[in-house]
Amino acid sequence: MPNNTKFIIDFDSTFTQVEALDVLGEISLKNDPKREEKLQAIKDITDLGMEGSLNFRESLERRLEILEANRSQIALLIEALKEKVSKSFQRNKEFLEEHAPNIIIISNGFKDFITPIVGEYGIKPDNVFANEFIYDESGKIIDFNRENILSKNGGKPETIKNLNLEGDIYVIGDGYTDYEIKASGMANKFYAFTENVARPKVTSKADHIAPSLDEILYVNKMNKKFSYPKSRINVLLLENVHPIGVELMQQEGYNVEVISSALSEDELAEKIKDVSILGIRSKTNVTKKVLENANRLISIGAFCIGTNQIDLDMCTKKGIAVFNAPFSNTRSVVEMAIAEIIFLMRNFHDKTLGMHQGIWDKSATGSYEIRGKKLGIIGYGNIGAQLSVLAENMGMDVYYYDVIEKLALGNATKLDSLDELLAHCDVVSLHVDGRKENKNIIDEKQISKMKKGSYLVNLSRGHVVDIKALKNALESGHLAGAAVDVFPEEPKNNTEPFTSELIGCKNVILTPHIGGSTSEAQVNIARFVPGKIMEYINTGNTYNSVNFPNIQLPFLKDAHRLIHIHQNEPGVLAKINRVLADYEINIVGQYLKTNEKIGYVITDIDKEYSPEVIDAMKEIPGTIRFRVLY
């Protein structure tokens, strides 16, 4: 940043996420019987002033009259505002501290609370220009210093004029009074800051709309905390990702687009071109064709357990890290499995349908307790294992089969073959993953091996059961019932019709892929997946990635972090270190991990180095992707 460039920064809704007098109102009017009415009045007056529809002095007078605040409440206000500093200012604290002499706060707010807040970011009291409260002997705020230029209309341009600043002047703010600085000729550029609030009357006047401080630093090629502004990271979230996931990514400063349904291959191949982060659930297929168009894609988040809908090999080849939520909906799926087993064995489904048709069928025929019955679990992963524990606690005898050696929980019994499990159990519950090898693992031949009068539950993947064979077994009476939550073909959204050969079958529970669709599960997933993606982007951590070598890194401190993703071939680490040695770069820390396809090298280096080293690192043979974290 040139030494003669000055930043003029507004305070309310810019440096902080909120209007300070609104927060003061929440404190001072806490016990007022008309609290809500008065708070809304303060907010309305603030908005009129910020839009330029009400002159500033009148706006200030009217708000202070409603507030009825006192000096003792200012300390509470300061503590509240410290928690409300804008996220991008928090991220760039190091920049603010380093360039504090050239950063000037000019606000129509009050020094009483502004100076302590910005002081924690290195900004000196002499660089804070704002209004001042006037208190009476009891400490009540009775007025403001009416001689202060900033208490008057047009006070911000006049303040800058009196400062006689040299060099370029950039104004960052969200209000009309900030634009007035540029309009008066007192500034070179006006950045409309929209991280917290966007006012059309203000943004229409801006030289540049800035969703964050990162964006401003990026377009001006200034030193910054992150190598790429978060406002330029485009996120596409499909299939009704929970609002918490959307909110977390928006709070991080990303540019987020939400589409409620899945997209077809052609639609996604077109949409993916400018996307940095893709969030999907189970219906969206991220194919080779899609990924060939994904030249900006950094990471994919599967807001579910499975990742078979994603071409992981292609993602790995392109250096795209994939994350899922392997544990977040486990309990929800298990509870549903238990419920469906009980419903099937008591024939509740058909009984309740009959009641809705006016049929009173009070009969115990074909109705059984689950206690003492044999439950066979195919797939003893997170869900299968927890189902094992709950089912056993309810009195069932549990048996399981898995192609991978898994330790039995409780009194569960491991069986050596699928055939043995099918022939032995009263209820069979599927909990396998969606790999291609699992297609129709329960087909006509396997169903014929199940006990006559047994039940089948599938909460795993739609293609693992031959639906026609299942229908035939139900109609013949070989199976007494089934519960199916997943299907080979599923509607892309809630408006498309559902079709299946199982519709109308006796004692068959059909549900629309809702095994993990509980509020608790969706919240857990919505917090977990964005957290992993943001951690990867911010620190390089790949822990819990399904296709990258898993590395858990220490916090980056007083260093720059070089992230090098390359094909797993001999000698790449040596080449990386040779480049660093050629440029006489001191390595603070280095971390390497590989899988069968790629290598992942993290190198923390001293901050002083030639920019040419970046180009040299990218040119190392076998490089898939390279980026720098500051």
Side-chain angles (χ1 to χ4, degrees):
M1 174 175 161
N3 290 331
N4 61 348
T5 301
K6 304 293 188 297
F7 270 158
I8 307 299
I9 302 179
D10 180 40
F11 184 77
D12 290 304
S13 297
T14 299
F15 202 100
T16 60
Q17 303 167 36
V18 293
E19 293 287 330
L21 292 188
D22 291 357
V23 179
L24 181 57
E26 292 174 2
I27 295 169
S28 67
L29 299 170
K30 183 177 181 180
N31 299 315
D32 193 300
K34 294 185 177 180
R35 181 176 184 268
E36 296 305 321
E37 180 184 330
K38 290 182 178 181
L39 287 176
Q40 187 58 49
I42 292 169
K43 185 180 184 305
D44 292 343
I45 294 166
T46 299
D47 289 342
L48 289 172
M50 296 302 287
E51 291 174 357
S53 302
L54 181 68
N55 74 61
F56 172 69
R57 178 164 282 209
E58 185 180 352
S59 162
L60 188 55
E61 290 171 341
R62 286 168 60 178
R63 283 181 289 168
L64 286 183
E65 184 178 345
I66 298 171
L67 281 170
E68 299 182 12
N70 59 64
R71 190 193 300 272
S72 64
Q73 293 163 339
I74 299 300
L76 297 174
L77 173 62
I78 291 169
E79 290 307 308
L81 292 178
K82 284 180 179 179
E83 302 299 319
K84 293 292 184 180
V85 173
S86 294
K87 298 293 185 182
S88 65
F89 279 76
Q90 293 181 39
R91 289 196 294 269
N92 290 285
K93 184 176 182 181
E94 186 177 328
F95 173 85
L96 296 169
E97 290 173 335
E98 184 178 345
H99 299 283
N102 288 327
I103 295 172
I104 299 168
I105 305 296
I106 296 184
S107 171
N108 293 128
F110 290 80
K111 286 185 179 181
D112 308 58
F113 53 78
I114 294 176
T115 301
I117 304 295
V118 301
E120 294 196 352
Y121 289 77
I123 299 167
K124 305 298 181 186
D126 289 347
N127 277 14
V128 177
F129 297 86
N131 282 298
E132 300 140 309
F133 288 127
I134 293 177
Y135 306 89
D136 66 13
E137 291 180 0
S138 68
K140 181 180 178 181
I141 297 172
I142 56 173
D143 204 351
F144 52 89
N145 181 358
R146 293 177 178 265
E147 299 304 312
N148 188 318
I149 295 173
L150 285 163
S151 73
K152 302 174 183 178
N153 301 325
K156 287 188 176 182
E158 190 67 22
T159 299
I160 294 179
K161 182 179 179 181
N162 292 342
L163 289 174
N164 294 315
L165 300 174
E166 295 182 358
D168 291 336
I169 297 174
Y170 297 161
V171 176
I172 303 172
D174 67 292
Y176 197 83
T177 57
D178 303 305
Y179 159 69
E180 287 178 337
I181 299 173
K182 168 71 186 298
S184 69
M186 290 291 106
N188 302 81
K189 290 182 181 179
F190 167 55
Y191 292 93
F193 189 79
T194 60
E195 182 173 326
N196 306 309
V197 61
R199 296 182 171 92
K201 209 169 180 182
V202 177
T203 55
S204 65
K205 303 289 187 180
D207 295 299
H208 191 97
I209 296 174
S212 65
L213 182 57
D214 310 306
E215 171 77 9
I216 297 168
L217 301 183
Y218 178 76
V219 297
N220 287 289
K221 297 182 172 63
M222 296 174 179
N223 184 26
K224 50 198 175 296
K225 177 74 174 174
F226 299 97
S227 58
Y228 198 69
K230 299 196 173 187
S231 57
R232 296 201 173 203
I233 292 180
N234 295 326
V235 179
L236 176 62
L237 300 177
L238 305 178
E239 303 183 65
N240 281 324
V241 167
H242 192 280
I244 286 178
V246 179
E247 183 182 342
L248 285 172
M249 290 195 163
Q250 288 174 335
Q251 286 178 353
E252 188 70 5
Y254 300 151
N255 179 31
V256 181
E257 180 180 0
V258 178
I259 297 177
S260 60
S261 65
L263 296 180
S264 68
E265 183 180 54
D266 288 341
E267 289 171 331
L268 187 55
E270 179 62 30
K271 195 76 175 174
I272 201 77
K273 291 178 180 177
D274 295 320
V275 172
S276 309
I277 299 169
L278 174 65
I280 64 168
R281 293 174 72 185
S282 57
K283 293 188 180 72
T284 300
N285 290 309
V286 185
T287 62
K288 181 179 180 181
K289 178 180 176 180
V290 169
L291 293 167
E292 283 172 345
N293 287 275
N295 294 323
R296 290 185 59 183
L297 197 62
I298 301 169
S299 182
I300 297 174
F303 286 72
C304 51
I305 294 176
T307 55
N308 295 90
Q309 70 277 38
I310 302 168
D311 188 332
L312 294 178
D313 287 342
M314 188 67 175
C315 285
T316 303
K317 288 175 184 176
K318 295 200 69 171
I320 300 165
V322 180
F323 297 89
N324 67 339
F327 315 109
S328 299
N329 67 2
T330 299
R331 178 71 185 199
S332 297
V333 177
V334 169
E335 287 188 4
M336 183 167 171
I338 291 288
E340 291 193 328
I341 292 168
I342 294 172
F343 262 59
L344 290 173
M345 297 195 72
R346 294 292 299 277
N347 205 11
F348 283 160
H349 177 64
D350 286 357
K351 296 285 188 184
T352 189
L353 283 177
M355 291 291 285
H356 280 286
Q357 295 165 4
I359 300 171
W360 181 271
D361 180 17
K362 184 174 170 22
S363 169
T365 304
S367 185
Y368 308 97
E369 291 183 353
I370 68 169
R371 181 176 54 176
K373 302 302 184 294
K374 297 179 178 65
L375 170 64
I377 299 173
I378 303 174
Y380 206 65
N382 298 319
I383 293 174
Q386 191 170 138
L387 174 60
S388 170
V389 173
L390 264 66
E392 184 180 321
N393 286 339
M394 297 188 73
M396 299 191 82
D397 297 328
V398 179
Y399 301 83
Y400 70 93
Y401 170 75
D402 199 303
V403 294
I404 300 172
E405 187 67 33
K406 296 287 181 69
L407 178 67
L409 299 181
N411 294 314
T413 302
K414 181 182 185 300
L415 298 180
D416 294 327
S417 71
L418 178 59
D419 288 356
E420 185 182 3
L421 181 141
L422 294 173
H424 192 68
C425 295
D426 302 301
V427 183
V428 173
S429 189
L430 285 154
H431 300 285
V432 299
D433 63 32
R435 68 186 71 183
K436 293 177 182 177
E437 294 80 1
N438 284 335
K439 183 175 181 180
N440 288 344
I441 58 170
I442 302 298
D443 57 13
E444 183 178 6
K445 182 179 178 182
Q446 299 295 353
I447 290 174
S448 69
K449 296 174 183 176
M450 293 176 66
K451 289 174 67 173
K452 182 174 175 58
S454 60
Y455 305 84
L456 180 68
V457 175
N458 183 18
L459 301 177
S460 58
R461 298 291 186 275
H463 68 269
V464 305
V465 174
D466 184 330
I467 297 297
K468 186 174 182 180
L470 175 59
K471 178 186 179 183
N472 291 338
L474 289 162
E475 290 182 338
S476 71
H478 181 69
L479 294 184
V484 183
D485 186 51
V486 287
F487 303 86
E489 300 290 334
E490 296 181 359
K492 290 180 181 177
N493 53 52
N494 291 343
T495 62
E496 288 189 6
F498 166 70
T499 59
S500 174
E501 294 179 75
L502 297 175
I503 292 175
C505 287
K506 187 178 179 182
N507 201 23
V508 173
I509 302 170
L510 303 179
T511 48
H513 204 146
I514 55 170
S517 297
T518 62
S519 295
E520 294 87 350
Q522 293 308 303
V523 168
N524 290 339
I525 292 169
R527 291 189 186 282
F528 185 85
V529 176
K532 291 301 173 185
I533 291 174
M534 292 185 291
E535 194 175 357
Y536 171 64
I537 290 174
N538 293 343
T539 71
N541 271 354
T542 56
Y543 193 68
N544 282 123
S545 170
V546 298
N547 67 323
F548 269 36
N550 276 206
I551 295 182
Q552 197 158 14
L553 298 162
F555 185 75
L556 181 64
K557 187 176 182 181
D558 296 328
H560 285 186
R561 178 164 285 171
L562 311 182
I563 297 178
H564 193 277
I565 306 167
H566 57 270
Q567 295 169 7
N568 187 8
E569 53 189 40
V572 176
L573 181 60
K575 292 171 186 174
I576 290 172
N577 288 337
R578 193 174 304 127
V579 168
L580 298 175
D582 289 344
Y583 285 89
E584 298 182 342
I585 290 173
N586 181 47
I587 297 176
V588 177
Q590 193 168 55
Y591 316 88
L592 164 67
K593 203 163 187 181
T594 62
N595 60 23
E596 67 276 9
K597 293 179 181 176
I598 63 169
Y600 190 64
V601 176
I602 309 293
T603 309
D604 292 349
I605 63 173
D606 284 341
K607 291 182 179 181
E608 297 300 324
Y609 57 88
S610 168
E612 294 175 4
V613 73
I614 304 301
D615 294 328
M617 294 284 278
K618 292 177 181 178
E619 295 300 319
I620 293 173
T623 299
I624 296 173
R625 175 166 289 185
F626 177 81
R627 63 190 180 106
V628 184
L629 298 179
Y630 297 111

